[in-house]
């Protein structure tokens, strides 16, 4: 029934979830699909249900955090990103997003800690390097900011990755 048709996939997963409400993996799959469709309210319901049924499922805390962040609920997003870090201390995604949220709130020292971890864990992420450069700039460390932005721009060119690279090149101007 999964023929690439999103509407069909949702219908199939919703039917499976109603017939087998205690099947954690099915609820998780439905939550992931809702999140991909930006139906974050439905996604959080299914992802939370999957975690209640099986707390060992990987990535659920990070997916919940993403859903809350998309909705603009940054407090809940931070809570779930920290939960993801408790499960996986090397979660580069959690560190990247915690760093970005903390930077937006003006908690620059804490943001820098998490963004530094993110660049250590995923050194090929132009976005992580760009965001780290932004925090250095806000802290007045322009040399370090330029180094991070250059790294982001170089990675973007190498990986054909537009996220962070265009902004980094603009910041270097």
């Amino acid at each position: 029934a999964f023929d690439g048709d999103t509407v069909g996939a949702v219908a199939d997963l919703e039917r499976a979830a109603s017939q087998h409400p205690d099947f954690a993996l099915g609820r998780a799959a439905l939550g992931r699909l809702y999140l991909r469709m930006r139906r974050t309210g439905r996604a959080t319901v299914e992802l939370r249900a999957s975690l209640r049924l099986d707390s060992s499922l990987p990535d659920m805390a990070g997916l919940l955090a993403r859903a809350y962040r998309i909705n603009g609920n940054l407090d809940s997003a931070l809570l779930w990103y920290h939960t993801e870090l408790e499960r996986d201390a090397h979660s580069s995604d959690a560190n990247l997003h915690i760093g970005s949220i903390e930077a937006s709130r003006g908690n620059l020292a804490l943001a820098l800690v998490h963004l530094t971890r993110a660049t250590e864990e995923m050194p090929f992420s132009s976005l992580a390097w760009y965001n780290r450069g932004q925090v250095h700039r806000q802290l007045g460390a322009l040399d370090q900011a330029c180094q991070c932005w250059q790294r982001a721009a170089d990675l973007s060119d190498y990986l054909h990755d537009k996220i962070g690279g265009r902004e980094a090149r603009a910041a270097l101007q």
Side-chain angles (χ1 to χ4, degrees):
F2 290 85
D3 59 0
D5 172 26
T6 302
V7 174
V10 167
D12 289 342
L13 286 170
E14 286 175 339
R15 188 171 31 263
S18 69
Q19 292 171 354
H20 307 283
D22 293 335
F23 183 51
L25 288 174
R27 303 291 295 267
L30 184 55
R32 285 176 185 272
L33 186 56
Y34 281 144
L35 185 57
R36 193 174 310 133
M37 298 169 65
R38 298 270 194 214
R39 294 173 65 183
T40 54
R42 301 288 300 266
T44 56
V45 168
E46 296 302 326
L47 294 170
R48 288 178 76 99
S50 69
L51 268 177
R52 271 194 308 279
L53 294 166
D54 183 352
S55 63
S56 69
L57 287 175
D59 302 326
M60 292 301 105
L63 291 172
L64 270 166
R66 186 177 307 150
Y68 283 118
R69 186 167 187 193
I70 290 168
N71 274 345
N73 187 340
L74 299 183
D75 290 332
S76 292
L78 278 174
L79 173 77
W80 284 103
Y81 281 127
H82 281 289
T83 300
E84 179 68 16
L85 280 180
E86 289 171 15
R87 292 169 173 248
D88 177 6
H90 301 288
S91 174
S92 54
D93 191 57
N95 276 308
L96 171 64
H97 292 293
I98 291 170
S100 298
I101 292 169
E102 294 296 358
S104 74
R105 292 179 164 189
N107 301 325
L108 300 179
L110 184 56
L112 188 57
V113 167
H114 285 282
L115 290 169
T116 299
R117 287 181 190 155
T119 56
E120 290 168 353
E121 294 295 329
M122 54 181 180
F124 297 108
S125 170
S126 57
L127 181 60
W129 284 103
Y130 171 73
N131 288 351
R132 183 175 166 185
Q134 288 294 90
V135 171
H136 279 301
R137 179 189 58 79
Q138 290 176 297
L139 289 169
L142 294 181
D143 287 342
Q144 289 171 305
C146 287
Q147 290 172 12
C148 290
W149 292 331
Q150 188 62 59
R151 183 80 182 259
D154 292 345
L155 285 168
S156 177
D157 291 342
Y158 176 71
L159 299 172
H160 306 288
D161 176 13
K162 303 292 184 242
I163 300 173
R166 181 177 51 245
E167 295 86 353
R169 280 189 283 286
L172 287 167
Q173 300 294 324

